[in-house]
Amino acid sequence: MTMHHPALEAGRRRTFAPNLWDALAFGLLFGGLILMVHGGKETLAPLAALDLAPVSLDPAMLPEYALRTTMRMLAAIVASLVFTFAYGALAAKSRRAEMVLVPMLDILQSVPVLGFLSFTVVGFMSLFPGRVLGVELAAIFAIFTSQAWNMTFSFYQSLKTVPRDLDEATRSFRLTGWQRFWRLEVPFSMPGLVWNTMMSMSGGWFFVVASEAISVGDTTITLPGVGSYVALAIKEQNLAAVGWAVLAMLAVILLYDQLLFRPLVAWADKFRVETSAGGPAPRSWLLSAARRTFLFQRVLQPLGAMLAAVPRQRLSFSAPVSQDTRRVVESAWTSRWAEGIWLALVFTVAGYALYVIVAFVATELSLPEVIRVFGLGVLTMLRVIVLIALATLIWVPIGVWIGLRPRWAQRVQPLAQFLAAFPANIIFPFAVVAIVRLGLDPDIWLSPLMVLGTQWYILFNVVAGASAFPNDLKEAASTFRIRGWNWWRKVMLPGIFPYYVTGAITASGGSWNASIVAEVASWGDTTLRAHGVGAYIADATAAGDYPRIVLGVAVMSIFVIFFNRLLWRPMFTFAGRRLRLD
């Protein structure tokens, strides 16, 4: 029996009129659309417009430059997400694809941004001749190459460590691969993926100078943005302009932290895997405001319903065949001769690619120079090993402390994003002046610049791992009074190990990538060089010497692949087999 009484129903009445939260939501929405239109129309201008309005160090231009840079980074992050879902899923679900895609990912994350720019600028410009859009796409692609790889590694790691009981539950309910992907695998990956997306957005600032102030051989193009503003300020030794650029970066980071990442972190918290009550959930004022709106929710309800229906569709990408045919195909696909054909094809393609590289390099370079470049690669590798070890000792305890305290994580999050986004290029002038005045060895004291922008991969992944650590396991450890070193060795380190390995792989690859800007530092007319393959690539890129660019990038890729194969990949496999939350 249902009772109706005004006193009982008073508390359940909802107003059906727009409220102040609706005004805030629509104001933010239309304000964002207006800014996007304003910044987007500049990309359709003729290329000559860049010469008519060159980059200025006037601080009044920084809001415009910050808008252009932020739009490039948001476009790159969207492209990175699409790449992550496609590439990471294929690598995790197909063993044969994994044999090729994971080493390729190792190579891609080791190729410096300038290495991509050297070969892509002309191609993108030819797509839209005489238009700024072609150069904009080249800049977006360069930022994409600094964002996509760690997101892909994070998603791949999550797919390889999905708890078996959850996977068996989806199979019991006979979910298709499409449904399992969107209703289990993507939600399970969300805590780590959101933090890595945050790191990618911040890490993109590290290479924004190289992507907006493009200089390859005789081709020099400068796009309006914070990166080109910083490059001009460093060139003219204008410390006041550098300070204004840092303030503009801080303002932008605070804005997208409040409007984008804090809502995402609060939303992703519901995907944590645990069987007991968790601690205080992260909060977002924007997410709370959106939930209090009425008209805004009603307007977006059809779009939300459409998006919610997509994961529920029983899509299948395999043709309907009989059981006998399916068994024959599966037997042939998993047979030894199919495995042999696949391996032969992979080695043939790899051998041909190596032959093309050797033939191209051999046109102008001799064997002694190749040996010398391998020696430079050894020096850079030693720097990477020492720096990653130091970053691990510093940031793993700090990341665990932050991740286990959601309230502190919310407070530290903007600061960590700002530090991760802070371009090392701004610190280079101070490093150059200090090294010259104190008579220090550049081979040693330029090295820390390599890890300034990449150490945060370790911190952000450890924070993500500690945040996603099941509360019931923490309660069990407390009940059994596991403390001190035993707590680290038996509870927390195994729990965050898969996340740490993901962060260490990307930090290692990012440090190799950063060597191209860290082993050559300049301030005005003073330039310091450390011996390493990064400095070799930087010099070759500045000279437009393509055979030496190819040689430097190839040597760096070889070192990264072997380093990952011998160290990080066995650790990753161990984490996937022994440290799953099953």
Side-chain angles (χ1 to χ4, degrees):
M1 180 161 93
T2 305
M3 292 182 61
H4 296 279
H5 192 277
L8 296 176
E9 296 182 354
R12 289 182 289 179
R13 287 179 180 171
R14 288 192 60 184
T15 177
F16 288 89
N19 52 35
L20 291 177
W21 301 110
D22 283 305
L24 174 64
F26 280 108
L28 290 174
L29 178 62
F30 287 110
L33 290 175
I34 291 171
L35 289 176
M36 289 177 62
V37 171
H38 174 73
K41 70 179 182 180
E42 302 293 334
T43 64
L44 302 176
L47 196 58
L50 297 178
D51 297 325
L52 297 176
V55 175
S56 168
L57 292 184
D58 182 2
M61 297 299 298
L62 273 173
E64 175 77 17
Y65 294 162
L67 173 64
R68 298 286 296 274
T69 296
T70 304
M71 289 185 61
R72 294 182 192 114
M73 296 182 71
L74 288 174
I77 210 73
V78 171
S80 298
L81 278 173
V82 175
F83 177 87
T84 293
F85 286 145
Y87 197 102
L90 184 59
K93 293 175 177 295
S94 172
R95 187 179 63 84
R96 289 177 184 166
E98 183 181 29
M99 294 168 56
V100 177
L101 296 182
V102 174
M104 282 182 61
L105 199 58
D106 293 336
I107 295 173
L108 289 171
Q109 73 162 340
S110 68
V111 176
V113 170
L114 287 183
F116 286 108
L117 284 174
S118 303
F119 299 98
T120 58
V121 171
V122 176
F124 280 109
M125 290 180 66
S126 64
L127 292 176
F128 302 93
R131 293 287 171 181
V132 177
L133 183 57
V135 188
E136 289 280 358
L137 290 177
I140 291 171
F141 180 76
I143 298 172
F144 163 85
T145 61
S146 67
Q147 294 179 339
W149 319 135
N150 72 298
M151 294 169 58
T152 305
F153 268 121
S154 173
F155 187 60
Y156 169 76
Q157 170 257 322
S158 297
L159 295 189
K160 298 293 283 187
T161 56
V162 171
R164 292 188 180 89
D165 52 348
L166 295 181
D167 185 63
E168 290 172 359
T170 61
R171 298 183 187 279
S172 299
F173 287 109
R174 296 188 178 182
L175 300 185
T176 63
W178 173 263
Q179 292 174 315
R180 188 164 61 249
F181 179 76
W182 289 110
R183 305 187 73 175
L184 170 62
E185 294 164 347
V186 170
F188 180 77
S189 72
M190 271 300 120
L193 185 58
V194 166
W195 279 92
N196 273 279
T197 303
M198 196 187 310
M199 176 63 221
S200 290
M201 190 71 173
S202 297
W205 288 94
F206 187 84
F207 294 102
V208 79
V209 173
S211 63
E212 291 181 348
I214 302 171
S215 179
V216 181
D218 297 330
T219 304
T220 302
I221 301 172
T222 302
L223 290 170
V226 176
S228 53
Y229 185 95
V230 170
L232 182 60
I234 292 175
K235 181 180 178 181
E236 297 187 2
Q237 297 180 284
N238 190 331
L239 288 177
V242 171
W244 283 113
V246 171
L247 288 177
M249 285 175 50
L250 178 60
V252 171
I253 290 168
L254 288 175
L255 280 174
Y256 69 63
D257 171 70
Q258 294 295 316
L259 301 180
L260 178 62
F261 288 120
R262 185 154 297 192
L264 281 175
V265 170
W267 171 76
D269 185 69
K270 67 181 181 179
F271 298 118
R272 292 176 56 179
V273 178
E274 55 187 24
T275 57
S276 65
R283 295 181 179 180
S284 164
W285 66 267
L286 182 64
L287 199 60
S288 300
R291 288 168 178 165
R292 293 175 182 176
T293 60
F294 173 74
L295 183 61
F296 187 76
Q297 291 190 50
R298 292 298 181 272
V299 170
L300 295 183
Q301 190 173 16
L303 177 62
M306 183 179 67
L307 293 177
V310 172
R312 293 196 293 266
Q313 300 302 311
R314 298 191 62 83
L315 300 179
S316 179
F317 299 98
S318 58
V321 295
S322 64
Q323 286 292 110
D324 293 338
T325 304
R326 187 183 298 275
R327 289 195 200 97
V328 171
V329 172
E330 290 179 354
S331 176
W333 180 250
T334 57
S335 63
R336 288 188 176 182
W337 63 264
E339 185 80 10
I341 291 175
W342 176 253
L343 289 175
L345 180 62
V346 169
F347 282 114
T348 300
V349 173
Y352 178 74
L354 183 62
Y355 167 77
V356 171
I357 292 173
V358 171
F360 181 70
V361 169
T363 56
E364 295 187 18
L365 305 180
S366 60
L367 181 60
E369 181 164 5
V370 174
I371 296 174
R372 183 174 72 86
V373 175
F374 271 93
L376 295 175
V378 172
L379 295 177
T380 301
M381 181 182 69
L382 293 175
R383 292 190 183 100
V384 171
I385 293 173
V386 173
L387 293 171
I388 294 301
L390 291 175
T392 298
L393 292 175
I394 294 171
W395 293 115
V396 166
I398 295 175
V400 169
W401 190 89
I402 294 173
L404 294 180
R405 294 162 177 81
R407 290 181 181 176
W408 274 99
Q410 291 189 61
R411 297 172 186 173
V412 174
Q413 182 179 318
L415 176 62
Q417 287 183 63
F418 176 71
L419 293 175
F422 196 86
N425 314 62
I426 294 177
I427 301 177
F428 286 3
F430 304 100
V432 171
V433 171
I435 291 172
V436 171
R437 289 189 177 180
L438 298 176
L440 303 176
D441 186 355
D443 282 323
I444 296 175
W445 294 101
L446 283 179
S447 299
L449 301 179
M450 290 171 53
V451 80
L452 284 179
T454 59
Q455 59 186 336
W456 311 110
Y457 290 112
I458 295 176
L459 174 63
F460 275 62
N461 276 279
V462 171
V463 169
S467 300
F469 193 80
N471 195 60
D472 49 347
L473 295 185
K474 288 186 286 186
E475 292 175 353
S478 177
T479 301
F480 288 106
R481 298 184 179 181
I482 302 176
R483 299 186 179 92
W485 172 241
N486 279 335
W487 181 81
W488 283 96
R489 186 170 60 90
K490 296 181 178 180
V491 180
M492 187 50 58
L493 289 181
I496 66 168
F497 191 74
Y499 293 87
Y500 164 75
V501 173
T502 300
I505 290 175
T506 50
S508 173
S511 296
W512 282 95
N513 201 327
S515 67
I516 194 171
V517 293
E519 291 182 346
V520 179
S522 61
W523 176 240
D525 297 330
T526 304
T527 301
L528 297 178
R529 282 181 173 79
H531 293 87
V533 70
Y536 182 88
I537 296 173
D539 293 338
T541 302
D545 191 338
Y546 288 97
R548 285 179 171 81
I549 293 174
V550 172
L551 174 61
V553 172
V555 168
M556 184 177 285
S557 300
I558 290 172
F559 272 97
V560 171
I561 289 174
F562 278 97
F563 194 67
N564 287 357
R565 292 289 110 184
L566 296 177
L567 178 62
W568 299 124
R569 196 55 52 193
M571 293 173 66
F572 192 91
T573 303
F574 173 78
R577 290 179 178 176
R578 300 290 301 275
L579 302 177
R580 301 161 62 103
L581 292 174
D582 292 331

